[in-house]
Amino acid sequence: MHPKTLRCIPIGGLEEVGKNSMVVEYEQDILAIDMGFQFPEDELFGVDYVIPDIQYLVERKHRLKGILITHGHLDHIGAIPYVLADLGFPTIYGSALSLGLVQKQLEEHKLLKSAKFKVVDNKQTYNFGQLQVEFFRVNHSIPDAMGVYVRSPVGNLVHTGDFKFDFTPSDGIEADIQRLSEIGKRGVDLLFSDSTNALKPGHTISERFVAGNLEENIAKAKGRVIIACFSSMIGRIQQLLEFAKQHGRKVFLSGGSLLSNFEIARKLGYLKFDKQLIVDIRQVNQHADKDVLILTTGGQGEPMAALSRMATGAHAQVKIHDGDTVVVSSSPIPGNEKQVAFLVDALSRFGAYVVSNQMMDVHASGHGQQEDLKLMMSLVRPEHLVPIHGNFYMRRAHGQLAPEAGVSKDNVHLMDNGNVLEVRDHKVSSKKEDIKVRYVVVDGTGKGDLGSQILKEREAMAQNGLISLVLKLRKGQLAGNPVITTRGFVGLKEQQKAVKEIDKKLRESLQKINKRNKSPSVEDYEHGIRSDVAGLALQRFNKRPVILPVILFV
Ligand SMILES: [Zn+2]
Ligand SMILES: [Zn+2]
């Protein structure tokens, strides 16, 4: 008979920040902790998300007892709609807010009816066959984040989820420090712990400190205040609602994900405020500037987000002007720095006073820095440490802290996705053979490995962009201005200039076609315009975009 073994297999989240998921298996019982997605690397054009490879779970789905969710961020819940059916709709366990956010996603994928949920708290023990699970509270940038303590007959583990220690958090609820130290006393063989900020010394600053700075900006602003933060930062949003009330401002919301998360959080009681405080953004211009606080998203400079639309003058209601204060309450995710710099620059050009994290702390990370990580180890006192949630270099930095917190450096395991760690009679060993994890992408609603041909076509489009031209013609002449849209063709800065040149070329082309043909057909116009605009794109911009003329005879 084989010795009884607890197996831990991270199937995502160890070679990236994203698609977090870990399999915990003991005899006949299997649990999955988290099921997140990752936004793809830039080279994978048009691919929506990368998700964990769940093949191992699919083959054993009759033994899968549930999916435990640590918190409601997409890198922990985002893959659920894509895998739930394949896994046979196992019950999903998590805090009320985490499950609320999961339910919203499943609703969009029309899967809500088949799904099963159980709201858990940090007071009970949940039994899954021979596995016993307890949850404990941690601080993070979303309320109700939890870590997991899993016990089996041969070994116990703690999975922190994403965490930091904040003694004055925005929601006033501290991490379960006492519980963690009790768990440590009961015995922990393995600690799986968040490595995102392992390279940063010290403690992560408190939300309370950030709140002070945010309030200061609201208090001293004479004009409108516009604050951009992540839509899942419900705790910070609650504080901002209170500041708005104290300083006599109405709150206007702009941004799709913000509106939807706001509504979920309000319904579940995570946001509390007087009804009159919130006013429809369409009425923002009917209020005096000094009475306005706009909450929005897009602090990363995402081109389609509300703040970017404000920065390019394309927002329907909010035109930035002198006297506006814009607070970017986030710090750029690595890779977004340029975009954010452009955003700040564009807002400033319109006359806004822009406050970002470079000037004062108007954002605190949700992830613990070195002192937080060491504190976690000192409380839990594990025999072994497995740094998770991060690329190799982050996890290695985390591992290097272990000896300072009482964990032997020989007991630090830098795993890759698909590696297997086994515990037998409280002895930990890594298994030589791994389970195979493939790179799984989801594209719209489909799932699978994308053909390389499709990727190539998308790559061409992504490199050269797209120009769409809609023109109404009456007797061969333009009826109204043509509508010219470019995507990925030139940068935002050059866009206006490019559109102007295309417009000019279009008009010339039209006259040329009219001269050449007696009564030109739709095809004549399409063909002529396409080739003239393509020529312009190549000569002036050195690009070969896809050109889509749409001709309407009116
Ligand atoms: Zn998170
Ligand atoms: Zn995360």
Side-chain angles (χ1 to χ4, degrees):
M1 221 179 76
H2 71 98
K4 294 195 182 330
T5 309
L6 175 72
R7 288 157 62 84
C8 305
I9 315 168
I11 55 173
L14 267 58
E15 293 162 46
E16 58 272 309
V17 175
K19 67 172 166 98
N20 295 290
S21 187
M22 189 170 97
V23 175
V24 178
E25 178 180 17
Y26 178 74
E27 300 282 291
Q28 290 307 304
D29 306 311
I30 298 181
L31 291 170
I33 301 177
D34 288 333
M35 194 55 76
F37 69 41
Q38 183 199 2
F39 293 98
E41 283 89 22
D42 289 344
E43 306 89 67
L44 281 170
F45 302 105
V47 168
D48 289 337
Y49 311 114
V50 186
I51 62 170
D53 183 357
I54 54 157
Q55 194 54 35
Y56 186 85
L57 288 172
V58 169
E59 286 162 11
R60 294 159 182 80
K61 65 179 174 191
H62 55 288
R63 289 161 50 201
L64 179 60
K65 297 295 192 306
I67 302 177
L68 315 180
I69 300 299
T70 59
H71 65 287
H73 279 152
L74 290 171
D75 59 324
H76 298 259
I77 65 168
I80 292 176
Y82 303 101
V83 304
L84 201 58
D86 291 345
L87 295 176
F89 291 98
T91 304
I92 304 167
Y93 298 79
S95 67
L97 181 63
S98 305
L99 294 187
L101 293 165
V102 171
Q103 283 160 356
K104 171 82 188 160
Q105 283 204 309
L106 290 173
E107 196 185 334
E108 283 163 10
H109 285 78
K110 301 197 168 50
L111 288 167
L112 191 53
K113 274 198 194 126
S114 321
K116 299 188 290 276
F117 306 94
K118 186 168 168 55
V119 175
V120 295
D121 60 42
N122 59 344
K123 300 193 175 56
Q124 296 181 51
T125 302
Y126 302 88
N127 293 308
F128 301 90
Q130 297 193 74
L131 292 171
Q132 292 176 311
V133 171
E134 295 170 43
F135 294 87
F136 55 88
R137 279 183 180 287
V138 291
N139 299 119
H140 188 39
S141 45
I142 188 168
D144 260 4
M146 301 202 281
V148 190
Y149 179 40
V150 184
R151 284 183 294 157
S152 81
V154 296
N156 310 327
L157 68 92
V158 164
H159 185 297
T160 64
D162 294 0
F163 82 97
K164 63 175 171 179
F165 289 109
D166 188 342
F167 300 103
T168 50
S170 57
D171 56 6
I173 302 170
E174 283 186 32
D176 285 328
I177 290 186
Q178 194 66 34
R179 280 278 313 287
L180 277 168
S181 97
E182 279 160 25
I183 286 170
K185 281 182 199 145
R186 284 152 71 192
V188 175
D189 300 290
L190 276 164
L191 171 65
F192 294 84
S193 184
D194 179 3
S195 309
T196 316
N197 274 343
L199 290 141
K200 294 187 183 149
H203 277 290
T204 302
I205 60 161
S206 170
E207 283 289 333
R208 188 55 52 91
F209 188 64
V210 171
N213 285 340
L214 288 171
E215 185 178 15
E216 191 189 316
N217 278 292
I218 296 171
K220 73 177 186 207
K222 301 221 160 44
R224 299 186 296 187
V225 178
I226 298 162
I227 300 182
C229 70
F230 293 116
S231 61
S232 58
M233 304 201 83
I234 306 298
R236 192 170 299 167
I237 291 169
Q238 175 67 49
Q239 287 180 323
L240 291 170
L241 295 180
E242 283 156 24
F243 296 153
K245 192 179 165 195
Q246 283 159 27
H247 295 278
R249 288 175 186 262
K250 296 285 184 202
V251 177
F252 303 80
L253 306 173
S254 179
S257 63
L258 179 65
L259 286 165
S260 117
N261 283 0
F262 194 92
E263 188 52 23
I264 292 169
R266 186 195 62 78
K267 265 194 205 148
L268 294 171
Y270 290 88
L271 286 176
K272 296 189 180 71
F273 52 88
D274 299 336
K275 247 193 187 157
Q276 314 87 279
L277 187 67
I278 310 288
V279 183
D280 192 307
I281 186 81
R282 283 169 294 190
Q283 291 164 24
V284 69
N285 294 317
Q286 297 160 25
H287 292 256
D289 284 2
K290 65 174 185 22
D291 301 333
V292 171
L293 174 71
I294 299 169
L295 292 185
T296 186
T297 54
Q300 295 294 319
E302 308 91 318
M304 302 308 285
L307 191 60
S308 289
R309 282 185 275 132
M310 293 177 201
T312 52
H315 195 282
Q317 289 88 21
V318 184
K319 306 287 174 212
I320 300 291
H321 55 65
D322 274 329
D324 286 344
T325 300
V326 179
V327 183
V328 182
S329 182
S330 61
S331 37
I333 293 169
N336 290 353
E337 294 88 350
K338 258 193 195 164
Q339 253 176 218
V340 174
F342 175 65
L343 177 82
V344 171
D345 204 42
L347 290 164
S348 306
R349 275 178 193 276
F350 279 117
Y353 167 62
V354 186
V355 184
S356 71
N357 223 31
Q358 286 165 320
M359 296 159 60
M360 60 165 80
D361 288 313
V362 286
H363 173 68
S365 167
H367 302 274
Q369 297 175 197
Q370 291 177 354
E371 294 307 314
D372 300 81
L373 302 181
K374 284 195 257 175
L375 178 56
M376 180 60 88
M377 286 186 257
S378 320
L379 290 168
V380 173
R381 290 186 282 160
E383 276 302 314
H384 297 257
L385 171 73
V386 184
I388 56 169
H389 205 280
N391 295 94
F392 180 82
Y393 71 99
M394 306 171 186
R395 293 185 289 112
R396 187 177 61 179
H398 190 174
Q400 282 162 349
L401 303 170
E404 294 173 55
V407 180
S408 154
K409 73 176 193 317
D410 299 331
N411 289 354
V412 174
H413 305 267
L414 297 178
M415 301 173 76
D416 283 326
N417 294 334
N419 286 170
V420 181
L421 209 58
E422 293 190 335
V423 188
R424 289 195 195 106
D425 195 21
H426 300 279
K427 287 189 181 57
V428 175
S429 61
S430 48
K431 205 162 183 290
K432 287 200 182 61
E433 82 229 44
D434 309 332
I435 69 160
K436 236 213 207 130
V437 284
R438 298 160 308 155
Y439 200 72
V440 182
V441 296
V442 289
D443 172 24
T445 53
K447 183 178 75 184
D449 303 304
L450 270 193
S452 62
Q453 184 54 36
I454 302 177
L455 283 177
K456 241 181 234 152
E457 280 169 20
R458 286 184 181 169
E459 188 178 337
M461 204 195 278
Q463 275 172 8
N464 290 291
L466 177 144
I467 302 174
S468 91
L469 313 153
V470 182
L471 24 157
K472 291 184 198 161
L473 297 180
R474 188 176 294 130
K475 293 184 187 134
Q477 299 302 321
L478 278 170
N481 287 323
V483 179
I484 301 168
T485 320
T486 73
R487 265 196 76 180
F489 172 54
V490 288
L492 270 177
K493 271 187 187 169
E494 302 159 276
Q495 200 165 14
Q496 245 183 340
K497 205 178 84 198
V499 167
K500 229 183 210 165
E501 290 192 33
I502 295 166
D503 185 276
K504 186 162 164 258
K505 176 59 79 183
L506 195 67
R507 289 168 197 268
E508 289 169 14
S509 179
L510 215 52
Q511 300 318 323
K512 218 166 71 187
I513 297 163
N514 285 337
K515 239 184 240 167
R516 218 167 30 212
N517 306 282
K518 225 174 177 183
S519 57
S521 65
V522 170
E523 287 75 29
D524 292 331
Y525 283 116
E526 281 178 359
H527 184 80
I529 289 169
R530 191 180 283 132
S531 82
D532 283 348
V533 174
L536 173 83
L538 191 62
Q539 280 170 15
R540 287 280 298 109
F541 302 96
N542 198 22
K543 290 232 174 173
R544 295 176 192 278
V546 175
I547 297 167
L548 295 172
V550 179
I551 314 292
L552 306 165
F553 290 129
V554 295

